[in-house]
Amino acid sequence: MDLNKIFKSVVYKTLAGVDLVIGVSHQHEINGTQPLRDFFETDERISGTITWHLFSDNDETITQVGDFTFYDARARSFERTGRSEWRLYYSGEFFERATIGDLLILVKTVTNDIHGLVFQNGSNWQRIAAKLFNLRDISIDAAQLTKDELSKNEIEYSKRRIIDELGIEYELSFSENEESIAKRLLDEANKSGIPFPRTRTVSDFARKQVKEDGKFLDDILVAWLDKEERIFYAMERILVQKKLADGFDSVDDFISYSLQVQNRRKSRMGYSFQNHLEVIFQKNGLKFESQKITEGKNKPDFIFPGIKEYKDEGYPSERLAMLASKSSCKERWAQILTEAARIPDKHLCTLDQTITTDQIRKISSEHIKLVIPESLQATYTDEQKRGIWKLSNFVDYIKTLQIM
């Protein structure tokens, strides 16, 4: 699947003072250079709505919907002067939050929705955007990704997660084999009297579809996650299309079904992640137990070598280890601080590609080592990576503990 299956057009530039509504300029306009004219595909004045998103390492993402007008400010005098001056006028005060040097990316989806993505200069988010769109030579002059660049920019698993983080809805395309597998799993679930296959069933089936020969341990995990996600969404599409065809009894019925879909998506990833990690550990001969109570109600995702050893006060604590698995880190990493009190140095495996330098330092200061599959570390700087392990590093560490 390539970017052109999600985006029809992409334009990017560095914000200059004249683009903003603070200090340097009181305008609400961005200079409409040729790339912007190509983006809007028009020689006439047009208006519409645009969804703005501001991404900053230090604050929550801000989203705001506003109006825009793309027009030629010299249209009335064009016949006399032969000159045009196109501008993108935007309403609202959204850009009061942006600063000179921030990255602006305008995207038009295949469903003709327009989003304005603003990324704080020098932030993790900016590096993420650059990776997603494969941007080079970003300047104050707008540039457009060509259709060829969009069609050749493959959206592998890591990039799909970036798009999810950006909050842009898209529809995956599936192979005939993936659709066939989805139908088969749904039929088997229906025969068992359940509406949707259990996550472990889907995880097991997804792994069987992936050839592991010659693959690095981290790559195998991501390949399993990728395949399971594709099968999951193929199943979901079948069910949602059927529900749409059947119709809804009321607005409440629609809202209830929508929440059901969203909750299933959220819960699936966490369980899927744990399922695949279990198999990775089993394949590498590690001794471990999962979801065992250590103290009170604390239940770490994984204890090495097991809960028996953990409860044995005579067993050396330096030979114990724990791993928490959270598909998204955010502020949730602090939840593991009270887990497994006998183990001062803890490990957290995550798929998060948006952890900031300050967060990595804070996590490290609390004696937590981050573990992130290697291909998902591409959005991090070399400095940030010094505080992160690959999954293979963690597996090697546990092997060392268990042969002591």
Side-chain angles (χ1 to χ4, degrees):
M1 182 177 177
D2 302 318
L3 272 182
N4 66 341
K5 295 294 192 298
I6 301 175
F7 304 111
K8 290 174 61 176
S9 188
V10 176
V11 171
Y12 60 96
K13 73 184 298 292
T14 297
L15 287 173
V18 295
D19 299 321
L20 305 176
V21 294
I22 53 173
V24 178
S25 172
H26 296 291
Q27 303 296 315
H28 284 67
E29 296 175 333
I30 295 174
N31 189 25
T33 55
Q34 189 60 49
L36 272 175
R37 292 182 65 181
D38 294 338
F39 177 86
F40 287 105
E41 300 177 290
T42 185
D43 288 320
E44 299 180 0
R45 180 189 183 99
I46 61 169
S47 297
T49 59
I50 184 168
T51 304
W52 298 105
H53 311 261
L54 180 65
F55 299 92
S56 167
D57 282 351
N58 302 316
D59 298 294
E60 290 295 319
T61 299
I62 297 171
T63 301
Q64 179 179 310
V65 178
D67 298 321
F68 77 87
T69 301
F70 191 64
Y71 71 106
D72 182 2
R74 294 180 178 270
R76 293 182 178 179
S77 62
F78 180 78
E79 290 187 5
R80 178 171 51 85
T81 64
R83 295 179 60 192
S84 62
E85 189 175 307
W86 287 85
R87 296 173 182 171
L88 171 62
Y89 174 86
Y90 56 88
S91 65
E93 306 304 318
F94 175 81
F95 275 90
E96 288 186 357
R97 302 176 178 91
T99 60
I100 296 171
D102 288 350
L103 170 64
L104 168 64
I105 304 180
L106 291 174
V107 300
K108 184 190 296 183
T109 68
V110 292
T111 54
N112 289 315
D113 296 317
I114 297 176
H115 295 262
L117 314 174
V118 180
F119 301 91
Q120 180 187 43
N121 184 30
S123 64
N124 256 37
W125 280 111
Q126 186 181 44
R127 287 189 292 276
I128 285 170
K131 173 177 169 57
L132 174 62
F133 294 104
N134 195 25
L135 302 183
R136 303 182 183 87
D137 302 323
I138 305 170
S139 71
I140 60 173
D141 297 320
Q144 185 176 32
L145 292 183
T146 65
K147 291 183 178 178
D148 190 49
E149 287 173 319
L150 287 173
S151 65
K152 290 183 178 179
N153 194 336
E154 185 178 354
I155 307 177
E156 74 275 9
Y157 181 79
S158 63
K159 290 188 177 182
R160 291 207 305 274
R161 291 192 60 80
I162 290 173
I163 295 174
D164 290 338
E165 289 285 351
L166 295 179
I168 297 175
E169 291 291 330
Y170 64 96
E171 189 172 286
L172 274 174
S173 58
F174 309 104
S175 66
E176 289 185 9
N177 182 53
E178 287 165 342
E179 290 181 340
S180 175
I181 291 170
K183 290 176 182 177
R184 174 180 168 184
L185 286 172
L186 286 173
D187 287 342
E188 291 177 355
N190 188 53
K191 291 176 183 177
S192 300
I194 55 177
F196 205 88
R198 293 181 173 83
T199 303
R200 188 171 291 277
T201 300
V202 183
S203 298
D204 292 345
F205 207 93
R207 286 192 296 271
K208 294 175 183 177
Q209 313 306 309
V210 176
K211 294 181 179 179
E212 301 175 21
D213 296 345
K215 284 187 178 179
F216 186 52
L217 186 152
D218 288 55
D219 294 335
I220 291 173
L221 173 63
V222 172
W224 287 346
L225 290 165
D226 174 52
K227 179 58 70 174
E228 180 172 351
E229 181 174 90
R230 299 184 69 84
I231 294 172
F232 172 85
Y233 281 110
M235 289 190 294
E236 185 178 78
R237 179 191 289 180
I238 293 170
L239 292 179
V240 172
Q241 286 178 338
K242 183 179 184 302
K243 182 62 177 176
L244 290 173
D246 293 342
F248 296 92
D249 296 331
S250 63
V251 172
D252 287 343
D253 183 28
F254 169 78
I255 293 174
S256 176
Y257 185 77
S258 176
L259 289 173
Q260 177 186 330
V261 171
Q262 293 176 45
N263 290 334
R264 185 165 57 207
R265 287 184 177 185
K266 291 177 182 178
S267 63
R268 178 202 67 86
M269 175 54 77
Y271 289 123
S272 166
F273 191 23
Q274 290 181 30
N275 292 340
H276 295 310
L277 283 173
E278 279 188 13
V279 176
I280 287 286
F281 299 152
Q282 290 167 355
K283 283 178 172 286
N284 282 272
L286 306 185
K287 296 177 181 177
F288 70 94
E289 287 187 274
S290 57
Q291 302 296 319
K292 298 295 183 180
I293 294 176
T294 51
E295 301 88 12
K297 295 182 179 180
N298 291 323
K299 191 184 294 184
D301 292 321
F302 299 98
I303 286 285
F304 303 83
I307 196 65
K308 178 182 177 181
E309 289 81 0
Y310 182 86
K311 297 286 189 179
D312 181 359
E313 294 183 2
Y315 193 86
S317 59
E318 62 270 19
R319 294 184 60 188
L320 297 169
M322 67 83 70
L323 177 75
S325 60
K326 296 184 182 297
S327 58
S328 178
C329 190
K330 306 298 182 187
E331 297 302 321
R332 298 173 61 211
W333 63 268
Q335 295 172 357
I336 76 170
L337 290 174
T338 58
E339 296 179 354
R342 284 196 66 197
I343 305 173
D345 297 315
K346 307 179 193 302
H347 294 81
L348 169 59
C349 190
T350 181
L351 307 175
D352 204 323
Q353 297 171 269
T354 64
I355 309 172
T356 68
T357 298
D358 287 344
Q359 287 173 327
I360 292 174
R361 288 172 180 164
K362 177 63 176 174
I363 291 170
S364 179
S365 72
E366 297 288 355
H367 301 280
I368 298 174
K369 173 65 74 173
L370 284 170
V371 180
I372 303 177
E374 186 176 30
S375 64
L376 303 186
Q377 293 187 26
T379 56
Y380 293 107
T381 65
D382 289 341
E383 178 188 356
Q384 290 171 327
K385 288 178 183 178
R386 283 195 282 272
I388 301 172
W389 273 4
K390 295 180 287 189
L391 180 59
S392 58
N393 295 141
F394 176 76
V395 170
D396 288 343
Y397 167 72
I398 299 300
K399 285 181 177 179
T400 300
L401 289 185
Q402 297 187 353
I403 61 174
M404 289 174 64

